[in-house]
Amino acid sequence: MAPNNNRCKWSSIFMLLLSLSLAVATDKAPLVEDGLVINGDFETSPSSGFTDDGVVDGPSEIPSWKSNGTVELVNSGQKQGGMILIVPQGRHAVRLGNDAEISQELTVEKGSVYSVTFSAARTCAQLESINVSVASVNANEGDTLASRDVDLQTLYNVQGWDPYAWAFEAEEDHVRLVFKNPGMEDDPTCGPIIDDIAIKKLFTPDKPKDNAVINGDFEEGPWMFRNTSLGVLLPTNLDEEISSLPGWNVESNRAVRFVDSDHFSVPGGKRAVELLSGKEGIISQMVETKADKPYLLSFSLGHAGDKCKEPLAIMAFAGDQAQNFHYMAQANSTFEKVGLNFTAKADRTRVAFYSVYYNTRTDDMSSLCGPVIDDVRVWFSGSKKIGAGFGFGVSVFVLLVIGLV
């Protein structure tokens, strides 16, 4: 009977260790998933219920969020004086007063890059901004790991709010996501309205064998809500390794717009970039090249289908070469293929794009818009010099001649 007793003893020890490991695993918070953070739309009712108006203060007033300072849950249609407060989506959002903040702890994968998408609107002030950051929740609690001020001065559409994206690299596996109003207004209840906070883990696509451009089709980017038809604005970001648009920098002081095929005309795939605000909206990438070798920069240029007033044109740069391209509408297509030949001067070459004009929509004359680019490629062109449009005009001419014959 001794062997059976030993077997039972070891079985009991094994089951005890297994239960302890399961308890530890259960106690650990799960990794954040792509999409809305918990109560990221602020539609979960506080324990005391939603109020018609009024300022609330305290960490337990907004479910799943901690707050500090003058924080207000606002309702859709709520008035302040003669102004109706704008709630981007749903029935509720959060307004941050002077120096006020909301925060939520997230479990992330250390070393990975995440993009945070959020909707924001301004209220009283003309120069409002929002600071979004991630901070440590470990030994040095409160230490800011990454931070960015997003300017809300420019309204890119007449709806009064815009979705924005900001990226960070997770330096720890447990961080605190913070939204703060850094402004100091005369009215302490003035401040930006925040709504629809989502997160997405980003992956840098592999560089294709025949293309030096990373993420040239723009398929990898920030979280986009299917029920939002405004795209996502990408503010200035000079670090291509920590970007909401992997591989790309936004160099200028105005944003560019990340658009989807559900709401815009996209040349290929599901995503593209719309260039806004002329020279103030530049995207660029440093690509690997070989000095003194000929290359071709090609891309799709088109109309987003958002009633943007023509003419539409972009300026394209490849090393020391620059050329502007006008989009010419075609009956059977909303885009065309164009290209620029250049000779590389070094082992890395900058390619960049901006809109030549400051375009607005024809239906409201104030919403900013512009040309769309997609399918950006850079490859070794050998001794051949291929002109813009890849000989499109020559091909059409040949076909016409054949047709006449």
Side-chain angles (χ1 to χ4, degrees):
M1 295 299 292
N4 289 334
N5 289 336
N6 288 335
R7 201 176 295 121
C8 291
K9 180 176 69 174
W10 285 111
S11 296
S12 300
I13 293 174
F14 173 77
M15 293 303 295
L16 177 62
L17 292 174
L18 179 62
S19 62
L20 288 173
S21 64
L22 289 174
V24 171
T26 304
D27 188 54
K28 184 178 180 181
L31 286 173
V32 65
E33 296 182 357
D34 291 354
L36 274 177
V37 300
I38 301 174
N39 195 27
D41 56 4
F42 303 104
E43 298 297 334
T44 301
S45 174
S47 57
S48 58
F50 290 108
T51 58
D52 292 335
D53 56 20
V55 176
V56 295
D57 194 359
S60 63
E61 293 294 340
I62 304 174
S64 302
W65 293 91
K66 292 182 179 180
S67 62
N68 183 28
T70 303
V71 177
E72 182 181 5
L73 271 172
V74 298
N75 304 323
S76 178
Q78 181 177 327
K79 293 184 178 180
Q80 178 173 307
M83 177 180 62
I84 297 178
L85 300 182
I86 296 173
V87 171
Q89 293 286 320
R91 294 186 55 82
H92 304 94
V94 163
R95 179 166 60 174
L96 304 178
N98 287 339
D99 211 30
E101 68 177 40
I102 57 170
S103 65
Q104 183 175 140
E105 293 184 8
L106 304 174
T107 301
V108 291
E109 183 179 300
K110 185 177 179 180
S112 295
V113 174
Y114 290 84
S115 178
V116 177
T117 298
F118 61 96
S119 298
R122 70 182 189 211
T123 52
C124 316
Q126 296 299 310
L127 298 176
E128 286 181 348
S129 63
I130 183 74
N131 177 270
V132 55
S133 65
V134 287
S136 173
V137 295
N138 294 322
N140 297 320
E141 184 173 355
D143 287 353
T144 299
L145 303 175
S147 177
R148 170 65 205 273
D149 283 338
V150 177
D151 181 17
L152 305 181
Q153 179 180 2
T154 300
L155 290 179
Y156 291 82
N157 68 83
V158 295
Q159 296 191 36
W161 63 276
D162 282 295
Y164 295 84
W166 170 76
F168 68 93
E169 181 178 359
E171 297 182 18
E172 300 177 0
D173 58 8
H174 198 199
V175 298
R176 189 165 61 97
L177 177 63
V178 184
F179 290 84
K180 183 175 183 177
N181 173 15
M184 292 298 294
E185 301 297 329
D186 293 336
D187 185 345
T189 63
C190 284
I193 292 176
I194 309 299
D195 199 5
D196 282 348
I197 300 171
I199 195 168
K200 180 184 176 184
K201 182 181 176 182
L202 296 177
F203 297 90
T204 300
D206 294 332
K207 185 174 62 178
K209 293 182 179 179
D210 59 347
N211 186 7
V213 178
I214 296 174
N215 197 25
D217 56 6
F218 302 113
E219 292 301 301
E220 181 65 9
W223 179 265
M224 302 185 78
F225 292 100
R226 289 188 176 182
N227 61 343
T228 300
S229 60
L230 300 177
V232 176
L233 294 177
L234 307 177
T236 304
N237 180 74
L238 300 179
D239 188 347
E240 63 185 12
E241 295 182 356
I242 309 176
S243 168
S244 289
L245 194 61
W248 294 92
N249 298 333
V250 181
E251 293 186 3
S252 50
N253 60 354
R254 294 286 179 90
V256 300
R257 180 180 284 133
F258 190 55
V259 298
D260 63 334
S261 58
D262 293 333
H263 304 99
F264 298 84
S265 294
V266 172
K270 294 182 177 297
R271 306 285 188 263
V273 167
E274 184 178 22
L275 300 174
L276 313 171
S277 305
K279 296 180 180 179
E280 295 183 280
I282 303 172
I283 64 167
S284 68
Q285 183 173 147
M286 297 294 293
V287 300
E288 294 181 0
T289 53
K290 292 184 179 180
D292 302 320
K293 298 294 183 180
Y295 288 86
L296 175 66
L297 164 66
S298 70
F299 54 94
S300 296
L301 172 63
H303 195 293
D306 54 359
K307 300 180 181 179
C308 196
K309 186 178 180 180
E310 297 182 357
L312 297 174
I314 70 154
M315 183 69 75
F317 298 84
D320 60 355
Q321 297 295 308
Q323 185 174 335
N324 62 44
F325 297 89
H326 281 71
Y327 167 69
M328 304 299 294
Q330 303 176 33
N332 61 346
S333 178
T334 57
F335 70 95
E336 59 182 342
K337 291 278 190 177
V338 293
L340 170 64
N341 290 290
F342 69 96
T343 299
K345 305 298 183 183
D347 58 0
R348 282 171 64 83
T349 299
R350 175 179 176 267
V351 296
F353 306 89
Y354 67 74
S355 174
V356 173
Y357 305 111
Y358 287 78
N359 300 89
T360 57
R361 290 175 50 141
T362 57
D363 55 351
D364 60 43
M365 302 303 291
S366 61
S367 296
L368 295 177
C369 58
V372 164
I373 63 168
D374 199 2
D375 192 26
V376 182
R377 298 164 58 86
V378 170
W379 72 84
F380 176 66
S381 62
S383 59
K384 296 180 180 180
K385 289 291 182 179
I386 305 175
F390 311 112
F392 177 79
V394 175
S395 300
V396 172
F397 176 77
V398 171
L399 290 174
L400 286 174
V401 170
I402 294 174
L404 289 174
V405 173

